[in-house]
Amino acid sequence: MAPLGLGVGFYELGPTLEQGGKVWDPAFLGEARILHWYKFNKDITTNETGITKWGDALPLQNHLQPSVSNDANEQPELTAAGTVFFEQATDSLIFESPLTLTTFSIYLKHKFSAGETVAEHRLIEGSHDYIEFYSPTEIRINIGAVHKITIPEIIEGEEYVFGIERDSNGDIKAYKDNVVGSAAGGTSNNISPSTANDLTQIGDPLNESEVFEIIICSSALTASQRDALYQYLSQVG
């Protein structure tokens, strides 16, 4: 069996990824690194108007909830396929405790609805900071100032894995399907981790889209961790 190139002990086994005889999942990143984990089609509660909670699978239990639980115009929908569907600009899920991130990694599997135009789509945001799909090939993240990153093209209607990281040197990198982006628009894409990335919610999008799963970590990933997480998320759903 040939190694996948994910570091010692990682092998691709059909539809799964294995480390040391166990199927790999984000728990292998370790409790010291992974902060929050919103699993595909797990611990999602609903009522007649939409989602009322997306539970955090980790001990910090920082659940995601809508601003109100009795208004379909404010609540995302759980689809029959198990994804979280954000249909309109008022759909959102709010972190019970706002995030204050210094070094970080945020990864998710995502899909824009077919026929949508990817433009200024803020998927995660706070009162000032945000992570935005500015166009099909450009990500913008605001931490103190706007940082612009060119990524491989996002195709509406197609699933993909997206990640964004800031390391201990302050370097910000974005990944689309495990391909790293490059600085765009003359921005340095570096800001000290002492300037925190403050985020309060997911959603309020300009475009219809579906989220499959979200993993938030307290530091940048190693190359082998990133490869393994990409393989895991690409198989979700």
Side-chain angles (χ1 to χ4, degrees):
M1 186 183 315
L4 187 61
L6 304 179
V8 176
F10 285 98
Y11 298 90
E12 188 177 19
L13 298 177
T16 65
L17 195 72
E18 189 171 291
Q19 178 182 5
K22 297 181 180 180
V23 176
W24 195 96
D25 70 23
F28 278 101
L29 295 172
E31 290 186 5
R33 185 183 300 269
I34 184 169
L35 291 173
H36 309 296
W37 183 5
Y38 306 97
K39 292 185 177 184
F40 170 73
N41 204 21
K42 298 289 186 182
D43 197 15
I44 301 175
T45 58
T46 63
N47 62 13
E48 64 277 4
T49 52
I51 291 173
T52 58
K53 186 190 79 170
W54 193 357
D56 184 358
L58 293 174
L60 287 176
Q61 295 285 286
N62 192 4
H63 304 313
L64 288 166
Q65 297 178 319
S67 57
V68 296
S69 58
N70 60 353
D71 188 344
N73 292 320
E74 301 282 344
Q75 295 170 255
E77 175 187 340
L78 178 63
T79 70
T83 59
V84 175
F85 179 51
F86 294 89
E87 184 178 10
Q88 53 211 346
T90 50
D91 284 351
S92 64
L93 291 172
I94 300 167
F95 295 103
E96 285 185 329
S97 298
L99 305 183
T100 299
L101 303 173
T102 53
T103 58
F104 61 85
S105 303
I106 301 173
Y107 278 81
L108 63 149
K109 187 170 184 179
H110 187 242
K111 180 178 75 173
F112 285 97
S113 297
E116 289 291 305
T117 300
V118 181
E120 300 181 28
H121 179 97
R122 292 190 182 181
L123 185 65
I124 306 175
E125 63 182 353
S127 56
H128 300 289
D129 297 340
Y130 57 80
I131 299 167
E132 177 181 81
F133 296 92
Y134 183 76
S135 77
T137 58
E138 185 175 312
I139 297 297
R140 294 189 176 185
I141 178 169
N142 190 78
I143 311 175
V146 176
H147 308 273
K148 305 173 185 179
I149 304 171
T150 298
I151 61 168
E153 185 178 8
I154 295 169
I155 306 298
E156 297 85 351
E158 294 186 6
E159 301 169 5
Y160 65 96
V161 175
F162 172 76
I164 191 160
E165 306 184 13
R166 176 166 62 173
D167 65 20
S168 58
N169 295 318
D171 291 328
I172 301 169
K173 295 180 180 179
Y175 299 82
K176 192 259 184 178
D177 287 333
N178 211 24
V179 178
V180 67
S182 58
T187 58
S188 67
N189 296 340
N190 178 283
I191 185 167
S192 169
S194 63
T195 300
N197 184 17
D198 296 318
L199 302 171
T200 58
Q201 68 174 32
I202 296 168
D204 283 355
L206 290 182
N207 311 102
E208 291 184 1
S209 71
E210 298 172 56
V211 176
F212 293 69
E213 184 157 325
I214 306 169
I215 293 113
I216 301 171
C217 299
S218 61
S219 63
L221 303 183
T222 66
S224 61
Q225 289 169 336
R226 189 177 304 113
D227 289 344
L229 183 55
Y230 167 71
Q231 293 291 333
Y232 166 82
L233 283 172
S234 66
Q235 296 166 15
V236 164

